[in-house]
Amino acid sequence: MKQLTISINEKQEEFLKRFAEKHHDGADDNLHTADAFHVVENKRYDYIPYSSDLNGYFEDLPLTFTYDQDYEVWWDDEIEMIRMVY
């Protein structure tokens, strides 16, 4: 058997304890969950901000940004893209 160690803060610990009290087999709050596996996640924005040092790689083309794999929606500003997506 392998052992897994995780670190959570006090607020996350309290949330998981309260959530576990309400979501078990037969609990009134457990409406549509069978044998649930509960986790706490942290949201972190991860992006590369614009830098004029990148201009040489784009041969004077303006930098544009997208998030979708179909390349249908583009933004001129990476911060605005992130705001619209999230």
Side-chain angles (χ1 to χ4, degrees):
M1 179 184 284
K2 294 187 180 197
Q3 183 176 352
L4 175 67
T5 303
I6 62 168
S7 298
I8 58 176
N9 63 36
E10 289 179 15
K11 186 176 180 181
Q12 292 169 328
E13 179 184 11
E14 181 62 29
F15 170 81
L16 287 175
K17 284 181 181 178
R18 282 188 282 117
F19 196 85
E21 289 173 359
K22 296 180 178 183
H23 290 81
H24 54 80
D25 290 340
D28 291 337
D29 290 333
N30 191 21
L31 300 177
H32 302 287
T33 306
D35 300 321
F37 182 81
H38 306 293
V39 298
V40 174
E41 295 181 358
N42 290 326
K43 187 173 184 178
R44 181 181 71 185
Y45 295 102
D46 190 16
Y47 66 95
I48 300 172
Y50 171 76
S51 170
S52 59
D53 296 336
L54 299 173
N55 286 344
Y57 295 103
F58 296 97
E59 300 176 354
D60 297 326
L61 296 172
L63 285 179
T64 55
F65 306 90
T66 188
Y67 71 94
D68 67 325
Q69 295 177 351
D70 296 327
Y71 303 108
E72 294 178 355
V73 182
W74 292 85
W75 284 268
D76 294 328
D77 179 37
E78 75 275 17
I79 304 295
E80 184 62 25
M81 178 191 74
I82 291 169
R83 285 188 181 132
M84 293 299 293
V85 172
Y86 293 103

